[in-house]
Amino acid sequence: MSLGFCATSHLDAVLTKLESTIKSEAIQRKGSGLFSFGRDKSEPTSPKTKATVMLAYGFVSLYSPPDLIVSRIETDILRVINAHLASQEKKPEKDPLAKLNMVKTIDLIGKTLHPSHLKTEYYFTTRSSLMSKLLEWLKAESAAKIPSYDMLSSILPTCVTLVQLSPPLTDADICELAQVATSSVYSLPCGILDVDESEREATKLTSTGTTEDILKLGDELLFEILKTSTNSATLEKIYGYLEKWISNPEATQRFRALYTVSYL
């Protein structure tokens, strides 16, 4: 956050420092060791450093002057964010805290690009790739042995943030969001969501909450989709995904789907 405050007056200097941090981390790891002479041992930035840098990019984007960040967001921030996400395709992120930082970063970037912040419309062309990554994490988290309240309660509001941006969602976007959101939250176990004790020590994830809290966030996401696409066709698409849950043999899941219908 402190780098975000610095960016209010020194945006380019802060962006240069963040990028050099990633590069210098790799340089320091290059060729270290007694028998490393003459060999390229360049390694990627350590996960903790990268997670911190990614989160810093989020705060920098939010606290930078709106008239300046518009010209920097694609070339200096999203370029790094997208490259980081692309690298995870080959080597998925295993550290829950690093993944949580990435979700927060995407949320901060989404808030940066909102018309209320920029005072103008911004056509967010790379939104779909960020949304796809969020939905991938949402599916993985809901299927985990012990779903993390921290992750679920961060991913769903971040999806809401992205839904509010331009351009309007496509039919394919709406279908994917509705399908993943409903299947992910309705399948959660009842009661308190927490993290495994060993994971709590390793990751410092401490928030706890109930499945009911997550269900409300899921309903808010579906409602936001309707707000941005206020027509009967959108409502019918969403209802189409709710219908199979309404007729589900499991009473708990039927109740959850019927509550969503009532909410919408």
Side-chain angles (χ1 to χ4, degrees):
M1 188 180 289
S2 59
L3 285 174
F5 292 147
C6 291
T8 59
S9 302
H10 309 285
L11 175 57
D12 288 329
V14 171
L15 289 174
T16 300
K17 182 63 178 176
L18 285 174
E19 188 154 15
S20 67
T21 299
I22 295 178
K23 291 179 179 178
S24 64
E25 181 82 2
I27 291 171
Q28 289 172 10
R29 289 165 168 260
K30 182 179 180 179
S32 60
L34 181 62
F35 301 101
S36 61
F37 181 78
R39 289 185 295 168
D40 186 355
K41 290 229 175 199
S42 180
E43 298 176 11
T45 309
S46 66
K48 288 184 179 180
T49 300
K50 218 167 204 179
T52 303
V53 171
M54 293 302 113
L55 186 58
Y57 272 115
F59 282 112
V60 166
S61 66
L62 185 63
Y63 289 115
S64 299
D67 57 326
L68 290 181
I69 198 60
V70 168
S71 62
R72 310 293 199 283
I73 193 76
E74 294 280 355
T75 56
D76 295 304
I77 296 179
L78 286 172
R79 173 179 58 81
V80 178
I81 300 299
N82 288 327
H84 174 64
L85 292 175
S87 69
Q88 292 184 346
E89 296 297 327
K90 296 181 179 179
K91 189 177 180 181
E93 182 62 70
K94 295 182 179 180
D95 181 3
L97 190 57
K99 195 182 294 184
L100 183 61
N101 275 1
M102 197 68 241
V103 174
K104 291 179 179 177
T105 299
I106 295 172
D107 186 53
L108 290 167
I109 290 174
K111 286 179 167 59
T112 299
L113 300 179
H114 194 277
S116 65
H117 180 78
L118 291 182
K119 308 305 179 186
T120 186
E121 286 287 334
Y122 183 87
Y123 202 82
F124 193 12
T125 56
T126 59
R127 176 183 61 184
S128 59
S129 63
L130 297 180
M131 186 73 82
S132 294
K133 180 57 68 173
L134 289 172
L135 295 181
E136 177 188 320
W137 289 336
L138 180 60
K139 286 188 286 188
E141 199 59 51
S142 65
K145 183 179 179 181
I146 304 179
S148 166
Y149 177 79
D150 278 293
M151 283 297 295
L152 293 170
S153 63
S154 296
I155 292 173
L156 289 166
T158 301
C159 288
V160 170
T161 298
L162 295 186
V163 166
Q164 295 171 342
L165 304 178
S166 294
L169 295 173
T170 65
D171 287 346
D173 292 332
I174 292 172
C175 291
E176 185 181 20
L177 269 171
Q179 181 180 19
V180 175
T182 53
S183 61
S184 296
V185 301
Y186 291 163
S187 59
L188 291 172
C190 296
I192 295 175
L193 298 175
D194 204 344
V195 292
D196 183 84
E197 286 301 321
S198 59
E199 190 174 286
R200 181 190 296 276
E201 280 299 314
T203 65
K204 308 303 180 185
L205 297 180
T206 57
S207 298
T208 59
T210 65
T211 293
E212 284 65 34
D213 297 328
I214 300 301
L215 289 168
K216 289 177 184 176
L217 293 176
D219 290 343
E220 288 170 9
L221 173 57
L222 296 177
F223 184 67
E224 193 63 38
I225 294 171
L226 282 176
K227 282 174 61 180
T228 57
S229 182
T230 53
N231 56 67
S232 58
T234 301
L235 183 58
E236 287 177 11
K237 287 187 184 73
I238 293 175
Y239 182 77
Y241 290 106
L242 294 173
E243 197 169 17
K244 73 170 187 176
W245 294 100
I246 293 172
S247 58
N248 193 288
E250 178 62 47
T252 299
Q253 295 177 345
R254 289 200 305 272
F255 175 80
R256 291 172 178 179
L258 286 169
Y259 183 87
T260 299
V261 171
S262 174
Y263 180 84
L264 297 179

